[in-house]
Amino acid sequence: MSTTQLAVLARTVEPQRMLRRFLALDAAVTGANALAYLTLSGPLGRLFGAGSGLLLGLGAFLAVYTAGVALLAARPHPPTTGVRIVVEANLAWTAVSLAALALWLTPTTAGAVWTVLQALTVAGFAVLQHMALRARQLNQD
């Protein structure tokens, strides 16, 4: 993906603004997921073939994670280390989600599809955030 394509996705050519937008989008999507897991753990558990306790735990974790990412997105100049932690956490989430699906989860078809889709979405956030961070660093040199 080129910087031009990244700018089109972010709707800005300013690397700093791109980075903040991709962090904010990550926080919004993750926050919605957390809220769904926390408030609808029973019905979603049945739909996905997962225990409601697992979804409640994931929802609580995602709520805390959302707060951290949102705080980074709100900063005028998100620190590089913080952004790298978010990128690495997103990549770890992707790997663990796919490993869990392959090794120990026994979801319904909807649960398997959801697991893959959310893993790909999170991986996409990691790529976009990494590229925006890199563009910001190149712009500063």
Side-chain angles (χ1 to χ4, degrees):
M1 180 178 286
S2 71
T3 304
T4 303
Q5 291 168 319
L6 190 64
V8 168
L9 282 175
R11 296 183 178 211
T12 181
V13 294
E14 185 184 333
Q16 184 65 25
R17 197 170 278 165
M18 269 189 246
L19 180 58
R20 293 180 65 216
R21 285 184 180 173
F22 291 137
L23 288 168
L25 181 61
D26 186 352
V29 170
T30 303
N33 202 22
L35 185 62
Y37 287 174
L38 289 170
T39 61
L40 300 169
S41 62
L44 287 176
R46 289 187 293 280
L47 176 66
F48 296 154
S52 62
L54 173 63
L55 293 182
L56 281 171
L58 289 174
F61 170 79
L62 291 175
V64 172
Y65 182 77
T66 295
V69 176
L71 285 172
L72 276 177
R75 297 200 50 188
H77 189 83
T80 299
T81 301
V83 176
R84 284 188 180 142
I85 289 169
V86 169
V87 169
E88 290 172 11
N90 281 342
L91 292 174
W93 179 273
T94 299
V96 169
S97 295
L98 296 175
L101 183 59
L103 300 174
W104 63 83
L105 293 179
T106 54
T108 61
T109 301
V113 169
W114 175 254
T115 301
V116 171
L117 288 177
Q118 63 84 30
L120 292 174
T121 300
V122 172
F125 285 141
V127 168
L128 292 171
Q129 291 158 351
H130 172 75
M131 292 183 70
L133 179 61
R134 209 177 130 131
R136 180 180 81 178
Q137 290 170 331
L138 290 174
N139 197 42
Q140 291 174 347
D141 292 336

